[in-house]
Amino acid sequence: QVQLQQSGPGLVKPSQTLSLTCAISGDSVSSNFAAWNWIRQSPSRGLEWLGRTYYRSKWSNDYAVSVKSRITINPDTSRNQFSLQLNSVTPEDTAVYYCARWLSGTRPFDHWGQGTLVTVSS
Amino acid sequence: DIQMTQSPSSLSASVGDRVTFTCRASQSISSYLNWYQQKPGKAPKLLIYAASSLQSGVPSRFSGSGSGTDFNLTISSLQPEDFATYSCQQSNSTPYTFGQGTKLEIK
């Protein structure tokens, strides 16, 4: 049974870096059949896909254009988890952040983390 | 980016009713369309993938249809636990995009 467990701070100051981690159980971050994603949700933007990391003989990343200059998603194979870093945050980055597994083939987000409300405020 | 538009934005219905949600893509996405249910304070839950395939464990009163740009999600007989927000999402190409959601409320 796949489970995703998120961790990280709920409050970040403007201009600083938002950092979250998603620990995976029941699957591998190195799976050739999955991709590991970060998605956020806010009242103004709705559900917004931020990016993903995945392994297909080598590691690759894809990022949304809206955050591409500020985002890094990294796998951690030793701990079977992946992380999100979002730099230079502003209050507009306030949202609930989710990690989610994407399956190749039919391509849904079939498992999600519990969500982390991150507030950007001084 | 592919834009996903859902209608209506909200819907009132009663237990036992049949309801249909609509989702339209700004360009063809074949059958790479997924539907999610979300309750307050919870993560989205996958209901339907590849336009019409029922996710394991999801009741058979949920069904999906469509291809190309126009898709539907139908609940054949509403149950009390079905009152939630329903969102569509395209997985044809990155950036993966979601509709704005349809909130299903009790009449």
Side-chain angles (χ1 to χ4, degrees), chain B residues 14-51:
Chain B
S14 301
V15 173
D17 284 354
R18 177 185 180 92
V19 296
T20 298
F21 308 92
T22 296
C23 177
R24 176 165 288 175
S26 60
Q27 64 190 71
S28 178
I29 56 171
S30 185
S31 295
Y32 291 113
L33 189 283
N34 309 305
W35 288 98
Y36 300 87
Q37 177 194 67
Q38 189 174 23
K39 296 182 178 179
K42 299 293 187 182
K45 172 188 173 184
L46 178 66
L47 298 176
I48 300 286
Y49 63 93

Side-chain angles (χ1 to χ4, degrees), chain A:
Chain A
Q1 180 185 358
V2 176
Q3 290 188 323
L4 304 178
Q5 181 67 40
Q6 299 177 216
S7 59
L11 181 63
V12 181
K13 290 182 167 51
S15 80
Q16 295 193 343
T17 297
L18 181 160
S19 296
L20 296 173
T21 298
C22 183
I24 303 163
S25 58
D27 199 351
S28 170
V29 71
S30 303
S31 168
N32 281 287
F33 304 102
W36 305 96
N37 299 260
W38 288 99
I39 296 163
R40 68 182 177 184
Q41 185 174 30
S42 64
S44 58
R45 293 172 173 260
L47 286 160
E48 180 185 14
W49 176 80
L50 299 176
R52 65 180 180 176
T53 189
Y54 58 96
Y55 185 77
R56 304 287 186 269
S57 304
K58 66 174 185 176
W59 288 102
S60 297
N61 295 94
D62 295 310
Y63 298 129
V65 170
S66 60
V67 295
K68 192 168 186 176
S69 63
R70 302 191 289 131
I71 191 173
T72 303
I73 297 176
N74 281 327
D76 181 345
T77 57
S78 64
R79 298 180 180 181
N80 201 32
Q81 62 187 30
F82 63 107
S83 63
L84 167 69
Q85 288 195 322
L86 188 64
N87 302 325
S88 305
V89 296
T90 71
E92 286 65 46
D93 294 310
T94 294
V96 177
Y97 286 75
Y98 294 101
C99 58
R101 185 180 80 164
W102 175 99
L103 275 183
S104 61
T106 51
R107 313 181 188 178
F109 294 118
D110 68 333
H111 287 85
W112 296 64
Q114 78 274 24
T116 301
L117 173 59
V118 179
T119 302
V120 179
S121 175
S122 54

